[in-house]
């Protein structure tokens, strides 16, 4: 499919003219409300690109409404991260809703796999064309996607993928390489001068594929560097601060640790503990959250790894629109950059 025959072409015109997609749409369909100078600029770009809107116009003329579901965790004090991809989806929706796009949100509890299944069942009972999925729980996500395939419902994954499932597209980090990046940082910070703790904090530890892959990458990197110190692993299924504090205190009474790697966005919980106890422990982990950034600024977190969560959500909805509305080929694997944030650079980071 030619790049200038559908939504990609509209986006490119909007980019070159430095206007919104809605403005380009008004010019293409000869509706008013566009300044003469801007209209002329857009028309010049259309001519330069030899843009052919016929296919898109035919699809829009059908008045077809496309309904896309979003199956991601709900936001809470501990899972602030999930607001970010939803922001990206909302931003993309503003650009494409005039093309007959609706987005329905089905949010599940990150600490309760049964809530994922309940929301998945609701989607299957609705009239849905495509789904954006954060496949947090492996077995439940595999079953849901199997049932989607039976009903010819297309789906894309964000933030994490899962084995033996082929989505329309995966938009997110290479989980294994992300773990290796954390291993690289850990080795840079302590070399062979201390032991490390890999800390998983999740109520559904056996179901979280992304934690498994990141841990695997982290350990493999250190083994390849002939790391001679102890690599401890601790998994905590109670995620509130008091429970984490008690378990961590118990562990540290019997084990010496120089660096902690937190495998998800609950990094701030450990930073709070290190601050309160005035511990000399290096700390690295994940995600651009205000609660994490505050401790990064204070120096209790050394490095934060982030993978542009807002952009993940934006690209996910954009991918479904390209596939359904334009009929464009889509990128099957869209790995996000593995960005490393420090006290000095996080304020300039673009999500």
């Amino acid at each position: 499919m030619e790049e200038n025959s559908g939504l990609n072409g509209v986006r490119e015109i909007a980019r070159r003219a430095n206007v919104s997609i809605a403005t380009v749409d008004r010019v293409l369909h000869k509706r008013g409300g566009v300044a003469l100078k801007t209209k002329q600029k857009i028309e010049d770009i259309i001519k330069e690109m030899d843009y052919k809107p016929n296919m898109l116009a035919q699809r829009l003329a059908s008045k077809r409404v496309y309904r896309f579901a979003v199956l991601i965790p709900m936001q809470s004090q501990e899972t602030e991260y999930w607001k970010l991809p939803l922001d990206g989806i909302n931003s993309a929706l503003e650009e494409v809703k005039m093309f007959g796009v609706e987005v329905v949100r089905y949010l599940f509890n990150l600490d309760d796999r049964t809530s994922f299944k309940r929301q998945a069942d609701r989607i299957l009972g609705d009239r849905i064309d495509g789904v954006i999925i954060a496949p947090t729980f492996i077995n439940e996500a595999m079953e849901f996607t199997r049932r989607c395939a039976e009903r010819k419902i297309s789906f894309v994954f964000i933030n994490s993928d899962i084995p033996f499932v082929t989505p329309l597209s995966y938009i997110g980090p290479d989980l294994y390489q992300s773990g290796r990046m954390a291993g690289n940082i850990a080795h840079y910070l302590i070399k062979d001068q201390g032991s490390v703790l890999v800390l998983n904090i999740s109520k559904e530890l056996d179901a979280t594929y992304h934690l498994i892959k990141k841990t695997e990458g982290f350990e493999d990197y250190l083994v390849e560097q002939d790391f001679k110190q102890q690599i401890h692993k601790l998994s905590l299924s109670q995620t509130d601060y008091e429970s984490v504090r008690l378990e961590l205190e118990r562990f540290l009474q019997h084990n010496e640790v120089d660096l902690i790697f937190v495998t998800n966005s609950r990094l701030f919980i450990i930073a709070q503990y290190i601050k309160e106890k005035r511990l000399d422990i290096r700390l690295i982990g994940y995600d651009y959250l205000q609660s994490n950034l505050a401790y990064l600024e204070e120096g209790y977190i050394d490095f934060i790894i982030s993978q542009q969560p807002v952009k993940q959500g934006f690209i996910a909805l954009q991918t479904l629109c390209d596939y359904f509305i334009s009929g464009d080929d889509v990128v099957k694997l869209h790995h996000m950059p593995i960005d490393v944030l420090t006290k000095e650079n996080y304020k300039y980071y673009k999500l």
Side-chain angles (χ1 to χ4, degrees):
M1 201 64 64
E2 293 183 6
E3 184 178 345
N4 65 352
S5 63
L7 278 177
N8 282 333
V10 176
R11 290 192 192 100
E12 179 60 16
I13 294 166
R15 186 190 69 80
R16 294 190 189 187
N18 195 27
V19 299
S20 69
I21 287 178
T23 301
V24 175
D25 182 67
R26 284 196 291 271
V27 172
L28 285 171
H29 294 90
K30 304 186 186 310
R31 294 195 293 270
V34 180
L36 185 59
K37 184 177 179 181
T38 301
K39 178 175 178 289
Q40 186 61 55
K41 182 178 182 181
I42 292 171
E43 288 175 342
D44 288 345
I45 294 170
I46 291 170
K47 184 176 180 180
E48 177 190 336
M49 289 177 57
D50 191 26
Y51 177 72
K52 303 290 193 303
N54 293 344
M55 179 181 296
L56 186 59
Q58 289 171 7
R59 290 177 183 268
L60 295 178
S62 70
K63 305 294 185 183
R64 168 70 191 273
V65 173
Y66 293 94
R67 301 186 82 237
F68 301 134
V70 178
L71 182 61
I72 66 173
M74 64 183 69
Q75 183 187 352
S76 69
Q77 184 177 4
E78 293 183 356
T79 57
E80 175 194 343
Y81 170 85
W82 289 103
K83 177 182 180 298
L84 301 176
L86 195 56
D87 286 346
I89 292 168
N90 291 337
S91 179
L93 180 60
E94 286 301 309
E95 291 194 359
V96 298
K97 62 185 179 182
M98 80 283 292
F99 299 116
V101 175
E102 294 181 359
V103 170
V104 188
R105 297 160 186 83
Y106 297 84
L107 307 182
F108 62 88
N109 185 337
L110 187 59
D111 293 322
D112 179 10
R113 73 177 79 190
T114 62
S115 73
F116 179 97
K117 186 178 184 304
R118 284 195 300 272
Q119 296 293 59
D121 288 342
R122 287 184 61 206
I123 292 172
L124 293 169
D126 201 347
R127 187 191 71 74
I128 295 295
D129 297 293
V131 191
I132 298 170
I133 310 171
T136 306
F137 306 116
I138 302 173
N139 292 334
E140 288 74 13
M142 290 179 73
E143 173 63 15
F144 174 58
T145 55
R146 181 189 68 78
R147 294 169 70 190
C148 283
E150 288 178 350
R151 291 163 172 77
K152 300 190 183 322
I153 299 173
S154 299
F155 56 91
V156 299
F157 286 159
I158 62 169
N159 194 65
S160 174
D161 57 355
I162 54 176
F164 313 119
V165 177
T166 305
L168 183 65
S169 180
Y170 166 59
I171 304 104
D174 182 321
L175 298 169
Y176 178 78
Q177 291 298 333
S178 179
R180 287 183 62 88
M181 172 63 79
N184 190 330
I185 295 170
H187 193 254
Y188 163 77
L189 287 172
I190 62 172
K191 302 296 183 187
D192 276 331
Q193 306 305 311
S195 61
V196 303
L197 169 63
V198 179
L199 184 57
N200 297 312
I201 308 173
S202 173
K203 288 184 179 178
E204 297 283 359
L205 288 161
D206 61 329
T208 46
Y209 178 71
H210 67 104
L211 304 184
I212 296 168
K213 293 303 293 183
K214 287 188 282 191
T215 299
E216 181 184 327
F218 181 85
E219 291 183 296
D220 283 356
Y221 182 89
L222 290 181
V223 168
E224 290 170 17
Q225 302 306 311
D226 197 25
F227 185 74
K228 294 181 171 56
Q229 302 298 324
Q230 183 74 36
I231 302 175
H232 302 282
K233 286 193 286 187
L234 179 63
S235 294
L236 305 180
S237 59
Q238 296 300 314
T239 61
D240 63 284
Y241 177 72
E242 188 60 22
S243 297
V244 172
R245 181 187 67 79
L246 289 172
E247 288 297 322
L248 194 54
E249 276 188 354
R250 201 171 290 133
F251 179 85
L252 292 176
Q253 284 176 0
H254 305 285
N255 300 277
E256 185 174 337
V257 170
D258 298 278
L259 179 143
I260 297 177
F261 166 47
V262 181
T263 56
N264 62 13
S265 60
R266 291 181 166 114
L267 186 60
F268 62 92
I269 297 176
I270 308 306
Q272 180 180 343
Y273 177 76
I274 288 174
K275 180 179 179 179
E276 287 181 0
K277 296 296 181 180
R278 300 182 181 180
L279 299 176
D280 184 19
I281 295 178
R282 313 306 292 266
L283 181 61
I284 61 176
Y286 286 91
D287 295 331
Y288 186 99
L289 309 182
Q290 292 305 315
S291 46
N292 286 340
L293 296 175
Y295 287 109
L296 181 72
E297 178 69 36
E298 292 185 65
Y300 295 101
I301 296 174
D302 292 277
F303 294 97
I304 293 175
I305 299 172
S306 183
Q307 288 112 144
Q308 300 185 5
V310 174
K311 194 171 184 180
Q312 287 185 43
F314 187 94
I315 294 173
L317 183 57
Q318 189 179 76
T319 297
L320 287 177
C321 291
D322 287 344
Y323 181 74
F324 281 96
I325 300 175
S326 297
D328 290 340
D329 294 332
V330 300
V331 177
K332 297 293 184 183
L333 192 61
H334 199 128
H335 278 147
M336 304 305 294
I338 302 173
D339 300 321
V340 179
L341 308 184
T342 68
K343 178 179 179 179
E344 291 74 27
N345 74 356
Y346 81 89
K347 293 179 181 177
Y348 313 103
Y349 182 58
K350 291 185 178 180
L351 291 170

